[in-house]
Amino acid sequence: GAGVSQSPSNKVTEKGKDVELRCDPISGHTALYWYRQRLGQGLEFLIYFQGNSAPDKSGLPSDRFSAERTGESVSTLTIQRTQQEDSAVYLCASSPRFADSILRYEQYFGPGTRLTVT
Amino acid sequence: KNQVEQSPQSLIILEGKNCTLQCNYTVSPFSNLRWYKQDTGRGPVSLTIMTFSENTKSNGRYTATLDADTKQSSLHITASQLSDSASYICVVTRGAAGNKLTFGGGTRVLVKP
C-alpha cells in the first residue's frame, strides 16, 4: 500500500521567506511526527500529533515553527521568516496508534523534504 | 539527561564480512529500543524493536541485542552486502506513551567490494 508521502521533495527559498511543508500519512494512522535532520546529524524531534489530542510541541525550536493537522489526515509544517540554520531535511513519520509497552507500533517515515535557505 | 550514544561514528567493511554497531543509552524510564536503517536521501526504515524483556531480535542478516541492566544495545550485521551501506540509527523510547523518542547520532556504514 501507499506509504507516507511528503511534498515538495526539495525546496530552495530565500532567507526571510515563509515555507510550508506537507505530509500525507498512511491512511488510518492516528499518530504523526515531524523531525528535522541537519546534514550529517541525527534526527531532532519537532512535534507530535495523536488523534484529536493537543499536539506535543516541545521540540519546536522557535515560534517561527508551527504545524497543523486536521483530524487524522494531512499535516503541514510552516516555517516563517526562514533562516539559513533552518536548512535541513524535514522528515514526517506516522504510526497506527500509541506505542505503549505492550503493543509496539512502528513509525513509518516519509522520504523527507530537503529545505535549503539561501 | 536522556541521551543515546552510538559508536563508532562510521566504519568501512569489506563485502561479506561481519560488523557490530554499539548503542549506549541513559534514557529513563525505558520503554523500547529500535534500530533503523537510513539510506542516503531516504527516510529511516525500521529493522528491529525490543522491549525491556527482550534481549535479542533478528531480522534477516541483522541481529540486535539488548542488555537493559547495562543500558547497552548492539546491532550485528552478518555477511555484509553492498546494499548494507547506510546509516544505522538507535532510537530509545521513554515512558509508556511511546511518543518520547531519543535518537542516537547514527553509525555510517560503508561496505566495499
Side-chain angles (χ1 to χ4, degrees):
Chain A
V4 177
S5 61
Q6 293 186 244
S7 61
S9 55
N10 281 284
K11 176 71 176 179
V12 180
T13 190
E14 292 181 353
K15 178 181 175 181
K17 299 286 189 182
D18 297 351
V19 295
E20 191 174 275
L21 313 180
R22 177 187 171 107
C23 171
D24 284 272
I26 294 173
S27 178
H29 280 196
T30 59
L32 187 147
Y33 303 75
W34 281 99
Y35 298 94
R36 177 171 69 180
Q37 187 173 32
R38 291 191 167 117
L39 184 63
Q41 298 189 21
L43 277 74
E44 301 172 68
F45 165 77
L46 295 177
I47 189 169
Y48 163 75
F49 295 92
Q50 171 59 40
N52 294 316
S53 302
D56 177 355
K57 304 179 181 180
S58 60
L60 295 178
S62 78
D63 58 8
R64 295 187 296 105
F65 287 72
S66 63
E68 293 184 350
R69 187 185 188 199
T70 303
E72 297 178 359
S73 62
V74 65
S75 175
T76 55
L77 176 69
T78 302
I79 308 173
Q80 295 178 311
R81 305 180 302 281
T82 52
Q83 303 294 314
Q84 288 186 330
E85 61 262 28
D86 298 335
S87 295
V89 175
Y90 289 83
L91 289 160
C92 172
S94 70
S95 286
R97 59 178 291 172
F98 270 117
D100 59 29
S101 59
I102 299 174
L103 299 175
R104 303 179 294 275
Y105 292 90
E106 291 297 340
Q107 291 191 27
Y108 298 83
F109 284 83
T113 293
R114 181 175 297 280
L115 175 66
T116 303
V117 182
T118 61
Chain B
K1 185 178 179 180
N2 294 302
Q3 287 186 312
V4 177
E5 301 286 343
Q6 291 188 242
S7 62
Q9 284 190 329
S10 63
L11 77 157
I12 301 173
I13 58 173
L14 293 177
E15 186 179 12
K17 298 295 185 182
N18 304 334
C19 68
T20 300
L21 317 179
Q22 299 293 337
C23 173
N24 297 336
Y25 62 92
T26 58
V27 175
S28 182
F30 175 87
S31 175
N32 60 74
L33 184 147
R34 317 174 196 193
W35 283 94
Y36 284 89
K37 177 186 179 188
Q38 186 175 22
D39 293 311
T40 300
R42 308 285 292 273
V45 174
S46 178
L47 294 176
T48 63
I49 181 169
M50 291 180 291
T51 60
F52 182 88
S53 59
E54 299 173 291
N55 55 27
T56 187
K57 184 72 70 76
S58 290
N59 178 357
R61 294 179 297 100
Y62 300 101
T63 299
T65 66
L66 173 65
D67 186 333
D69 292 330
T70 61
K71 298 187 177 181
Q72 296 179 326
S73 176
S74 66
L75 180 69
H76 187 76
I77 305 176
T78 303
S80 61
Q81 300 178 359
L82 298 179
S83 59
D84 293 332
S85 294
S87 287
Y88 292 83
I89 305 169
C90 176
V91 184
V92 180
T93 303
R94 69 181 189 275
N99 61 314
K100 302 292 186 185
L101 277 68
T102 305
F103 287 78
T107 293
R108 186 174 298 277
V109 175
L110 177 61
V111 180
K112 288 191 170 182

